[in-house]
Amino acid sequence: MRYASLLYYTLSLLAIPAILATSDTESSDDQAGYPMIDSIVTGLEDASSSNVAASSVAPVCIWDGIQVNDPEPISPLPAYSFEAMPQYAVGPGSIDSDVMHMVRRLSLKEKVGQMTQIEVGQLIDCNGELNRTAVKYWIDEWKVGSFLETPANHGGKYNWYSPKSFGAFTDAVQKIALERGSKIPVIWGLDSVRGANYVKGATIFPAGIATAATFNPQFAYDAGRIAAKDTRAAGVHWAFAPILDLAVNKLWSRTYENFGEDPYLASKMGAASVNGYQGDYKHDRSRVAACMKHFIGYGYPFDGSDRANRHIAAHELLEYYVPPFKAAIDAGVATAMESYGVVNGEAVTISNYYLRKLLREQLGFKGMLVTDWGEINSQATMYHTAEDLTQATQLALERTSIDMSMVADDSSFANITAGLVKRGIVSDSRLDESVARILQLKKDLGLFKHPYTDQALASTVGSAQDIEAARDAVRESVTLLKNNNVLPLNKYEKVLFVGPTLNSTRYMGGGWNVHWQGPSDAEGDSIYQGFGDTVIKGVQQVTGSVPLYMPGVDIDGTTLIDIDTVIATAKLADKIVVGLGEKTYAENVGNIDSLVLPWQQLNLVYTLARKAKKPIVVVLVEGRPRRLDRIPDVAAAIVQAYLPGSYGGLPIAEILYGAVNPSGRLPYSYPATEAQASTTIWQSSYVAYNPQWAFGYGLGYSKVTYSNVTLSSNVLHPGEPITASVSVTNNGLYAQKESVMLFTHQQYRVGYAPELYRLRNFVKVDLAAGETKNVTLELKAEDLSFWDRDLKRRIEPAPVNVVINPYTQTDLIAVVDLVANANDVLEHL
């Protein structure tokens, strides 16, 4: 999702259009009343909503537009009880009879309103406060059923809204919705993509790419569960997550949001994330509706720029890009968001194939489908796939199963859709289909019975328990890429810390972090108000002494800072730790033309190596794998920290000093050249695969060895799974968490080039120093099925290499004979 403009703060402060001055009198569509709706909402107007208050009098504009900290204190409980990861899926199903009764009694305008989503900036006045007149306009005139976003991103007076302030805002809107218009509760959506990152004090978790690096789905579940609780504490019911695009082209600015390049890894993490956000969302009011996005193929932009066209063969789309979404559907995901742009030249937003045949009919998705920001209108204004807004809206309704349009700034969708139905171009039954799914979702989330914020949830936001969960995720995600015996550091060594990412909370967070683009330069780290740390603070906590720190270079890599003093100080140090990385960005703002890190960041390392002649440890804080030029040769150690979130500083320090043994593994292939930007572990086996570091690569402080790879059978038949077993030994002095990964490589596949490797299973095990464990992983013949160009999923018999951790171990190969009838079709689209 993206916003209309980087100038959203300024634009949202413009005067409300004259149309908002219309009378508050109910429109004629509301006069009749609807008994079913009235009975459902009886008593809601009197429900507990003590924090609901706002004036409908037009304000005098006195605000200077400068946002300030929300003064509301955050005093969380240190711990609370919660549900472990469920072993069952709760998801959308058939439409309840009372919901269908409600749908049939709605007017045309009310139905269209339920399908319309408006961003919060339309509800904020020139003083950064809620504009009740604007809310009444959208509820009375357009019967809007959904709002989205945080006031902080769209002209609200606070730069980061506390749960209580956010909840007061959403409750005030909800109260108006229940008293006026259709009297149906609104559903509020928010990009809570890594914790409730837009709620003050909420724990911001590592980015998706870092979570994937743990190879431990428990952390995807934890992040989702805590995000749901903290989001619901703000009166928001719907999280636009998880992000299930494959990070194929590493130039892409959204690489960090996803769970890596591998379909199986993304599937396992995505399903766990859905379970975390939703749990039993039909009964548990600390959960939200999850939203799998972006369907489909978004992660392979042709030139690496956000929204660029994607060229993906239909059978390859099914083979690699669809599985994470299928896993989310199987996990019960309640909603989905379609993708920006075009795939193979076809606009996703108006595609019958992608958004009805594939999503609904083939994959069996029964939940609610929302567009991304302004995507229906973009068919006419950006992609030129429709003549005008009217045709774009008509095509979206006729061809697809889209239920809600994230318009998000005007009434165009509502106005056009109503006109299309009145003229008989779009059927009323088509609207009923979507409105039923929307109202069912609201019922499942409990909005008809519990429309307001549960203020008790605010007491858990930012708890020490949540912070520790986020830090544990970082501890298992940080990936050691090189170590020439310089790590771990000794607390008695004299270490110079240099680089902009080591003394910054916001750079550890990246985009979708307090704000869409992260905190501004003016806000810096002060916006966190103590809800976060830095690597430097973490080092101080680990060592008990104030570390020696100098910036050395700016985050843009354009200017060395006080370099002569840095060099002189470095010469007196035993070791040097240099923090490199990226400034914050999201979506198109993060577009780059080259993966190479900015020159002066690289030059800082080269200069220190040449003149100080001391061992250098490079710590990377980056949202995508930036090319490192000669640094892999120059640095004595390299640590990949990804975007660890606001509490990542202490875990990174613990790893640097050996209090924690690194166990992260790369969730992507780290490019060595620009040409390798789209290199993946699953590319055709005849193509050279020589990235800087391979998918699944990572080191620890203990040497782990594998032996005795055995298969339960040397023949693999459909319907008859086998197991692969291997002995894993920790030969070091440190306890080690080890990710054991099972890959397959088919020796040949008639007519279709087999992949280099396909990840089929993995597990993470704890090994004490000197301990050996026997690890067993299952493999099915169906795992080796593939989609052919006729869109048939079938199995080609051939010998298959079963390989364990090919890029951290050697010669761990067993061969199984895959036996199947190549003409048997398992699935056909």
Side-chain angles (χ1 to χ4, degrees):
M1 193 188 74
R2 64 171 256 181
Y3 312 121
S5 170
L6 284 175
L7 300 177
Y8 49 80
Y9 292 132
T10 303
L11 293 176
S12 61
L13 296 177
L14 296 176
I16 299 294
I19 193 170
L20 298 188
T22 56
S23 170
D24 291 337
T25 303
E26 303 265 314
S27 68
S28 58
D29 285 335
D30 300 316
Q31 297 304 311
Y34 303 110
M36 185 63 184
I37 298 172
D38 291 342
S39 65
I40 290 176
V41 301
T42 295
L44 288 183
E45 293 85 349
D46 300 320
S48 174
S49 57
S50 59
N51 57 350
V52 177
S55 171
S56 60
V57 178
V60 176
C61 298
I62 58 175
W63 185 41
D64 61 5
I66 298 175
Q67 293 180 315
V68 298
N69 291 343
D70 184 342
E72 187 67 38
I74 306 290
S75 302
L77 298 170
Y80 57 90
S81 61
F82 60 91
E83 180 190 23
M85 190 186 303
Q87 301 302 312
Y88 56 88
V90 175
S94 58
I95 305 299
D96 294 341
S97 60
D98 59 340
V99 171
M100 286 307 306
H101 185 70
M102 187 188 311
V103 171
R104 287 191 291 268
R105 300 186 72 88
L106 292 178
S107 69
L108 170 60
K109 200 167 191 178
E110 287 172 321
K111 292 177 183 179
V112 173
Q114 287 299 307
M115 298 173 66
T116 301
Q117 187 176 56
I118 297 297
E119 55 93 0
V120 69
Q122 301 297 313
L123 311 180
I124 296 174
D125 68 17
C126 58
N127 291 316
E129 302 278 4
L130 177 67
N131 186 324
R132 285 178 62 90
T133 303
V135 179
K136 292 174 183 177
Y137 164 74
W138 286 110
I139 297 297
D140 285 350
E141 181 65 23
W142 296 106
K143 324 299 181 191
V144 167
S146 181
F147 295 98
L148 79 155
E149 257 288 10
T150 168
N153 279 340
H154 295 274
K157 65 181 180 179
Y158 297 136
N159 52 26
W160 201 19
Y161 279 67
S162 67
K164 186 173 182 180
S165 297
F166 207 142
F169 191 103
T170 56
D171 279 355
V173 173
Q174 191 72 280
K175 188 171 189 293
I176 294 172
L178 293 170
E179 292 174 344
R180 309 175 72 92
S182 303
K183 297 184 175 65
I184 295 176
V186 298
I187 183 172
W188 203 287
L190 194 65
D191 283 288
S192 292
V193 296
R194 39 200 299 220
N197 37 278
Y198 286 161
V199 177
K200 175 185 171 182
T203 303
I204 299 178
F205 276 73
I209 202 71
T211 304
T214 69
F215 277 80
N216 186 345
Q218 180 67 49
F219 292 117
Y221 175 81
D222 290 344
R225 176 186 61 79
I226 293 168
K229 167 184 66 68
D230 294 352
T231 299
R232 202 75 189 238
V236 175
H237 328 100
W238 182 15
F240 299 133
I243 300 93
L244 301 180
D245 312 299
L246 292 190
V248 176
N249 190 326
K250 312 309 186 298
L251 284 162
W252 189 36
S253 61
R254 308 195 72 166
T255 294
Y256 66 88
E257 300 180 44
N258 308 291
F259 293 124
E261 72 182 31
D262 182 78
Y264 183 77
L265 177 60
S267 297
K268 298 297 287 187
M269 291 293 178
S273 181
V274 168
N275 288 333
Y277 280 103
Q278 290 190 180
D280 185 4
Y281 73 104
K282 296 183 180 181
H283 299 94
D284 184 348
R285 300 309 167 213
S286 69
R287 303 297 182 122
V288 297
C291 181
M292 63 178 189
K293 65 180 189 183
H294 307 81
F295 192 84
I296 183 76
Y298 191 23
Y300 191 18
F302 181 68
D303 63 358
S305 63
D306 191 44
R307 289 202 187 197
N309 54 311
R310 287 91 74 186
H311 303 292
I312 306 171
H315 63 291
E316 292 185 338
L317 191 83
L318 294 169
E319 180 69 25
Y320 306 113
Y321 298 85
V322 166
F325 293 93
K326 174 58 175 171
I329 293 169
D330 291 344
V333 69
T335 73
M337 183 184 295
E338 54 81 36
S339 173
Y340 283 130
V342 301
V343 175
N344 300 325
E346 182 180 9
V348 175
T349 308
I350 54 176
S351 170
N352 174 268
Y353 173 76
Y354 294 125
L355 299 188
R356 189 169 288 277
K357 185 173 183 179
L358 178 57
L359 179 64
R360 300 288 188 183
E361 298 173 12
Q362 183 73 13
L363 299 181
F365 177 63
K366 296 181 180 179
M368 196 266 277
L369 175 62
V370 64
T371 73
D372 211 326
W373 190 283
E375 269 298 90
I376 291 180
N377 287 357
S378 291
Q379 303 308 309
T381 62
M382 178 180 292
Y383 309 124
H384 310 294
T385 55
E387 180 181 7
D388 52 27
L389 301 189
T390 298
Q391 186 181 53
T393 304
Q394 177 183 340
L395 293 174
L397 293 170
E398 286 182 340
R399 294 182 176 182
T400 82
S401 63
I402 286 172
D403 299 313
M404 182 179 289
S405 174
M406 188 188 292
V407 187
D409 296 306
D410 58 48
S411 58
S412 58
F413 174 80
N415 192 38
I416 293 170
T417 300
L420 290 170
V421 175
K422 288 177 181 178
R423 296 197 302 273
I425 298 173
V426 172
S427 68
D428 192 60
S429 62
R430 171 63 183 87
L431 301 194
D432 289 353
E433 173 191 344
S434 288
V435 175
R437 285 194 284 257
I438 293 167
L439 295 182
Q440 184 67 52
L441 176 65
K442 291 183 178 184
K443 179 183 177 182
D444 290 344
L445 287 166
L447 297 186
F448 290 112
K449 293 183 178 180
H450 305 285
Y452 295 116
T453 303
D454 180 356
Q455 296 183 26
L457 289 175
S459 65
T460 70
V461 173
S463 73
Q465 178 176 291
D466 293 348
I467 293 170
E468 194 62 16
R471 284 177 167 157
D472 282 343
V474 180
R475 290 174 181 123
E476 292 197 30
S477 70
V478 172
T479 306
L480 182 60
L481 298 176
K482 179 181 180 180
N483 186 21
N484 286 350
N485 297 317
V486 296
L487 291 177
L489 302 173
N490 187 311
K491 66 174 62 179
Y492 302 108
E493 293 175 318
K494 186 174 183 180
V495 180
L496 172 63
F497 293 87
V498 186
T501 58
L502 298 182
N503 198 32
S504 170
T505 305
R506 66 173 174 139
Y507 295 150
M508 292 195 301
W512 309 104
N513 157 33
V514 179
H515 298 311
W516 174 41
Q517 295 294 328
S520 67
D521 290 341
E523 291 168 331
D525 279 3
S526 64
I527 195 171
Y528 293 98
Q529 303 163 57
F531 298 107
D533 62 16
T534 66
V535 176
I536 295 302
K537 290 178 181 177
V539 170
Q540 183 172 353
Q541 188 170 340
V542 170
T543 64
S545 59
V546 178
L548 182 60
Y549 170 74
M550 307 178 76
V553 66
D554 66 314
I555 190 65
D556 293 313
T558 59
T559 306
L560 295 177
I561 301 172
D562 200 11
I563 190 61
D564 291 337
T565 303
V566 173
I567 292 170
T569 307
K571 289 179 178 179
L572 301 176
D574 297 314
K575 295 175 182 176
I576 306 166
V577 176
V578 182
L580 306 180
E582 298 183 297
K583 62 183 179 182
T584 66
Y585 59 83
E587 302 191 40
N588 60 315
V589 177
N591 286 348
I592 55 176
D593 297 323
S594 171
L595 279 172
V596 180
L597 274 173
W599 163 244
Q600 291 295 4
Q601 286 200 32
L602 301 173
N603 192 32
L604 174 64
V605 177
Y606 300 152
T607 301
L608 289 172
R610 186 173 65 253
K611 296 190 175 182
K613 302 186 186 305
K614 297 296 174 66
I616 294 175
V617 177
V618 170
V619 177
L620 301 171
V621 179
E622 57 185 9
R624 55 197 153 194
R626 301 299 293 266
R627 281 185 54 220
L628 303 176
D629 196 51
R630 295 185 290 110
I631 283 179
D633 299 321
V634 172
I638 300 175
V639 176
Q640 173 61 287
Y642 310 97
L643 293 178
S646 56
Y647 288 101
L650 176 60
I652 293 171
E654 291 171 335
I655 286 171
L656 290 175
Y657 279 90
V660 171
N661 193 350
S663 64
R665 299 294 180 261
L666 286 178
Y668 47 54
S669 303
Y670 202 116
T673 68
E674 295 293 326
Q676 294 175 353
S678 296
T679 289
T680 66
I681 190 70
W682 42 265
Q683 66 188 29
S684 296
S685 59
Y686 71 89
V687 179
Y689 182 76
N690 54 357
Q692 191 72 59
W693 294 286
F695 174 89
Y697 181 79
L699 306 172
Y701 294 147
S702 287
K703 181 176 177 57
V704 176
T705 57
Y706 290 60
S707 61
N708 303 323
V709 180
T710 59
L711 302 179
S712 60
S713 173
N714 60 4
V715 179
L716 182 58
H717 294 276
E720 301 177 17
I722 66 170
T723 59
S725 299
V726 62
S727 295
V728 186
T729 302
N730 180 358
N731 297 295
L733 301 176
Y734 297 86
Q736 181 76 53
K737 294 180 183 294
E738 179 71 6
S739 294
V740 183
M741 307 175 206
L742 186 155
F743 295 83
T744 62
H745 167 69
Q746 193 158 344
Q747 293 183 9
Y748 65 88
R749 191 165 62 192
V750 175
Y752 293 84
E755 300 96 339
L756 175 65
Y757 289 114
R758 288 294 300 271
L759 180 65
R760 303 300 187 185
N761 208 338
F762 65 85
V763 66
K764 198 165 192 176
V765 297
D766 291 306
L767 295 171
E771 183 180 11
T772 297
K773 283 186 175 179
N774 191 60
V775 177
T776 300
L777 296 169
E778 185 179 75
L779 178 65
K780 301 176 182 178
E782 290 79 3
D783 295 337
L784 287 99
S785 64
F786 72 103
W787 288 91
D788 65 19
R789 71 185 308 271
D790 297 320
L791 304 188
K792 296 177 181 179
R793 186 167 68 89
R794 55 190 183 83
I795 301 172
E796 276 286 347
V800 174
N801 293 348
V802 179
V803 189
I804 307 295
N805 292 33
Y807 292 102
T808 58
Q809 305 293 322
T810 56
D811 300 326
L812 292 173
I813 302 174
V815 180
V816 64
D817 192 14
L818 177 61
V819 178
N821 185 338
N823 295 318
D824 287 347
V825 177
L826 281 66
E827 201 172 354
H828 187 199
L829 188 64

